[in-house]
Amino acid sequence: MKAFAADFKVRAQTLTSDLRHRQLIQTALRKYEAVRDRTKAQFQDWEAAREAAARTKWEAVNHLDKYLNELVGKLEARGTKVHWASTGQQAREIILGIIRDKKARSIIKSKAMTSEEFI
């Protein structure tokens, strides 16, 4: 673990002195702030909306097992095969198994789906 920490510090030092990387981060932050400000303007009471979102997040996190099982049930009812993995290695093995079974030669990541599209 000490070697990992030392390696991390070296890589972090290198990256933080990379001016192009810093410029990319600053650009991303400015874009985020612009979107955030536009989004805030859509609410009559931004603080109330934030509090409602925080309560919703707290509810979801504290009952994740329930909501995850509900999601899986809905997906399986539509014919989706759900795979469970306890570790990253197990997930990779499942994915590689699917790729081998289907004889896939490429994988394409599609756009993110909204919850309405997903369920």
Side-chain angles (χ1 to χ4, degrees):
M1 190 60 143
K2 289 181 181 182
F4 174 79
D7 182 48
F8 176 83
K9 287 179 182 179
V10 168
R11 291 190 326 199
Q13 183 64 38
T14 302
L15 197 55
T16 56
S17 62
D18 179 346
L19 296 180
R20 176 156 163 43
H21 182 262
R22 291 169 74 177
Q23 184 178 12
L24 290 170
I25 297 296
Q26 290 300 319
T27 299
L29 285 172
R30 280 192 297 277
K31 288 179 181 179
Y32 163 79
E33 290 165 352
V35 170
R36 180 202 60 202
D37 292 345
R38 281 196 309 268
T39 302
K40 284 174 80 170
Q42 295 175 358
F43 291 90
Q44 290 179 348
D45 187 348
W46 173 250
E47 286 304 318
R50 283 190 69 194
E51 289 176 23
R55 285 191 303 275
T56 300
K57 179 181 175 181
W58 184 255
E59 165 70 18
V61 168
N62 284 301
H63 298 99
L64 191 57
D65 56 339
K66 171 187 159 196
Y67 295 128
L68 185 57
N69 284 324
E70 287 178 12
L71 172 64
V72 168
K74 289 178 181 180
L75 290 170
E76 289 177 339
R78 291 179 50 191
T80 301
K81 169 72 175 146
V82 176
H83 299 271
W84 296 91
S86 299
T87 65
Q89 181 60 37
Q90 204 174 33
R92 285 186 290 276
E93 289 169 8
I94 290 169
I95 294 165
L96 288 172
I98 293 168
I99 291 168
R100 287 185 192 110
D101 289 348
K102 300 296 180 182
K103 297 180 175 67
R105 295 181 3 180
S106 63
I107 300 171
I108 299 170
K109 180 182 181 253
S110 64
K111 72 172 182 77
M113 297 171 65
T114 65
S115 59
E116 290 79 21
E117 292 173 316
F118 192 67
I119 296 178

